[in-house]
Amino acid sequence: MEPYYAGALSILPPVIAVVLALITKEVFSSLILGILTGTCIYTIGMGEDMVVVRTVETAFTVMVNKVDFNIIIFCSLLGSLVYVISMAGGSRAYGAWASRKIKGRRSALLSTSALGAFIFIDDYFNCLTVGTVMRPVTDTYKISRSKLAYIIDATAAPVCIIAPISSWAAAVGSNLKSTGAFESEISAFVSTIPWNFYALACITLVILVSVFTIDFGPMRKAEIAARENRGDSQDIPTDTEDITIHAQGGVLDMVIPILALIIFAVLSLLYCGGYFGDDPAYHTIGAAFGNTSAGPSLVLASFASLVVALALFVGRRLLSLKIFMQGVLKGVQAMIPANMILVLAWAISGVCRDLLQTPIFISTLVENDAGFAGTLLPAVIFAIASFLSFSTGTAWGTFGILIPIVVPVAQAIDPTGGPLLIISLSATLAGSVFGDHCSPISDTTILSSAGAGCVHIEHVSTQLPYAIVTAIAAILGYFVAGLTYSLPLSLGTVAVVLIGTTAFLHMRNVREDDAAKRAAAAQ
């Protein structure tokens, strides 16, 4: 379909979807209305007749065109794997074992954070795997699914964007290569890592939250509800809940399939990247990861791990073949809500990017800001990247759009080859991750909800205050970076703002708790 430049109206669909979702707590209808708003703007702008019919027709056309069936199949197969592991008793056995080894809430949270940081290859794989492995443990210690979803989300994209070997590094490298401004794309990417203030601050905040049990905003309510076993903690049944356990499996019945998934994921990423092919250009791990495709790789890995589970469970007669296949189908059914949200999120993103040309509207803002002094450029770029990523729900699409614009702008302001270019690139990547991190239509956010077994809009609302605190620290850090070009001063600013704000919010909650206890004692 021919695109239509809608200008400022191009950001209206995601705004409507986000606002309605936060007000109604119902994400499906909110996304649908956002999509229809966008296609209505497109239909009217193109001068089409039969506006109502064409609006609906265009919405479904975009929906069909934007579906990534590899990710849908991966999510469905992983849902099947989780379901059959639970049927075989593996999840229950692992939860019991982990509760003996992991002592207390703090250890459970830190273990979840460490696993999220360890699985840095791909954010999709990270979201669903960490949720699958750690949910029995966090449930044991009455940690809310909202907190689990936050930790998963905050150690997915933020970790991938600072890992030199990851699908994200490959995507950034390909965009840097297209500019022709760097002798080595991987060296340029590595140079951005210490300046990626949002990712570094995000990981730091996760550690602070895990160690000191810091809860504020809606997350505090969710945590209190989880500790008190109240029904308003917004968790959705997963794993062992509402699943008939057919066998008394052991810990290895969970560990082996998940370990197989991790091993097959690495091998599949290398395979799809040409590591085992005939072209010697891809016979190194770095080159193969730079050439790989995450979707097909994860499909191969999830199918292979499901075959391992079949051999493990049916071969030992823990489950019959009939019951195993019933579990596979029920696992697919359990992932239908997450898959539906993904399809709708891809559709609204496609409406904005492909039909209404939101990226062009945002890019004009960047180009118009070329006159800014270097002092403001990194902070301005961070804000614009955040807004574009939040509106479209894609970090990759955002830095793909902005990197070719930011590079010449930074070079024009600082032609001496100083650090402004690397700082500006880092701000682009950081802003892209922030917008993706807190956007309700981001696929990473959706998969974090699914992996944790948390109601999606509850994850969005409980995570948002943490993301905003981190973003405030990051944007102030970029202002100092543009002013001084000093990494120690910039990181120090980020640390002071992040720790100071977090400590203030935590102490305010402590004072409120003390006041409530005194009031209760007085009565």
Side-chain angles (χ1 to χ4, degrees):
M1 288 182 289
E2 184 181 351
Y4 165 70
Y5 180 70
L9 288 177
S10 64
I11 65 173
L12 189 58
V15 169
I16 289 176
V18 170
V19 171
L20 285 178
L22 293 175
I23 292 174
T24 64
K25 305 295 184 181
E26 209 293 306
V27 69
F28 292 103
S29 60
S30 301
L31 284 171
I32 291 171
L33 287 174
I35 293 168
L36 292 175
T37 300
T39 53
C40 182
I41 293 171
Y42 175 78
T43 301
I44 295 173
M46 295 296 289
E48 298 276 0
D49 296 326
M50 303 177 65
V51 173
V52 175
V53 174
R54 289 293 295 161
T55 294
V56 176
E57 182 184 2
T58 303
F60 282 104
T61 300
V62 173
M63 201 175 297
V64 170
N65 291 338
K66 299 305 294 183
V67 170
D68 187 340
F69 282 104
N70 281 312
I71 299 303
I72 296 294
I73 294 171
F74 166 62
C75 292
S76 301
L77 290 177
L78 194 57
S80 297
L81 182 66
V82 172
Y83 205 98
V84 297
I85 288 173
S86 296
M87 291 176 65
S91 295
R92 184 174 62 183
Y94 175 81
W97 172 83
S99 63
R100 294 193 299 269
K101 299 296 181 180
I102 299 175
K103 302 297 184 182
R105 292 169 55 87
R106 181 180 300 173
S107 298
L109 291 170
L110 287 172
S111 299
T112 305
S113 305
L115 182 60
F118 176 74
I119 304 178
F120 54 80
I121 295 173
D122 183 76
D123 56 327
Y124 289 171
F125 179 54
N126 182 307
C127 292
L128 294 175
T129 304
V130 175
T132 300
V133 173
M134 297 307 300
R135 198 162 54 226
V137 180
T138 54
D139 283 353
T140 298
Y141 290 103
K142 298 182 179 180
I143 296 168
S144 70
R145 298 280 176 83
S146 299
K147 175 67 74 64
L148 175 60
Y150 161 68
I151 292 177
I152 293 171
D153 211 350
T155 53
V159 169
C160 291
I161 199 63
I162 59 173
I165 300 178
S166 70
S167 57
W168 284 62
V172 174
S174 65
N175 286 288
L176 293 176
K177 185 177 182 179
S178 67
T179 66
F182 305 96
E183 294 183 3
S184 170
E185 292 78 34
I186 187 63
S187 297
F189 175 80
V190 171
S191 299
T192 67
I193 293 174
W195 296 95
N196 197 322
F197 299 147
Y198 181 79
L200 297 174
C202 205
I203 295 168
T204 302
L205 184 56
V206 167
I207 296 172
L208 292 174
V209 167
S210 301
V211 172
F212 299 106
T213 315
I214 298 173
D215 302 314
F216 51 86
M219 183 71 78
R220 187 164 179 253
K221 179 181 176 182
E223 281 289 278
I224 292 172
R227 286 195 295 269
E228 296 177 356
N229 288 323
R230 294 209 312 266
D232 57 345
S233 59
Q234 296 295 310
D235 299 340
I236 56 178
T238 49
D239 273 6
T240 56
E241 305 170 31
D242 298 337
I243 297 178
T244 302
I245 300 177
H246 293 266
Q248 298 298 319
V251 174
L252 291 179
D253 291 310
M254 179 169 180
V255 173
I256 290 176
I258 297 299
L259 187 61
L261 179 64
I262 295 172
I263 293 172
F264 283 126
V266 175
L267 293 176
S268 298
L269 287 166
L270 292 174
Y271 169 76
C272 291
Y275 185 80
F276 305 107
D278 297 328
D279 191 343
Y282 303 116
H283 287 179
T284 64
I285 292 178
F289 273 115
N291 188 51
T292 197
S293 179
S297 304
L298 295 176
V299 169
L300 293 174
S302 56
F303 177 76
S305 62
L306 197 58
V307 172
V308 170
L310 172 66
L312 186 65
F313 301 153
V314 177
R316 292 163 52 221
R317 297 185 179 180
L318 282 177
L319 302 175
S320 67
L321 179 60
K322 180 180 179 179
I323 291 175
F324 183 90
M325 294 311 299
Q326 288 175 348
V328 169
L329 294 176
K330 289 180 179 178
V332 172
Q333 292 172 5
M335 293 302 294
I336 288 176
N339 287 339
M340 286 179 62
I341 295 175
L342 276 174
V343 170
L344 295 174
W346 288 328
I348 197 170
S349 178
V351 167
C352 293
R353 284 184 294 164
D354 301 337
L355 297 188
L356 303 181
Q357 297 189 308
T358 303
I360 294 179
F361 169 68
I362 300 297
S363 65
T364 58
L365 298 180
V366 181
E367 291 168 344
N368 291 337
D369 288 337
F372 270 110
T375 302
L376 297 178
L377 184 66
V380 169
I381 289 174
F382 177 84
I384 292 175
S386 301
F387 182 74
L388 177 57
S389 183
F390 182 86
S391 300
T392 60
T394 168
W396 286 28
T398 298
F399 56 65
I401 293 162
L402 292 183
I403 284 176
I405 299 171
V406 167
V407 169
V409 168
Q411 289 176 328
I413 293 177
D414 183 14
T416 63
L420 181 63
L421 175 57
I422 293 299
I423 297 171
S424 300
L425 284 174
S426 300
T428 305
L429 302 182
S432 300
V433 171
F434 166 56
D436 179 86
H437 189 196
C438 56
S439 175
I441 60 174
S442 162
D443 42 14
T444 308
T445 306
I446 295 165
L447 292 177
S448 297
S449 306
C454 174
V455 173
H456 177 60
I457 197 62
E458 181 72 9
H459 167 47
V460 173
S461 61
T462 53
Q463 174 174 259
L464 193 57
Y466 293 84
I468 290 174
V469 167
T470 310
I472 291 172
I475 198 169
L476 291 175
Y478 284 119
F479 177 77
V480 174
L483 182 66
T484 66
Y485 292 173
S486 170
L487 181 60
L489 282 177
S490 304
L491 283 175
T493 300
V494 174
V496 168
V497 174
L498 181 70
I499 296 173
T501 305
T502 304
F504 169 77
L505 294 172
H506 179 60
M507 292 306 298
R508 187 180 66 176
N509 288 339
V510 170
R511 288 194 297 269
E512 290 177 356
D513 290 342
D514 291 342
K517 290 177 182 178
R518 287 194 299 269
Q523 293 177 353

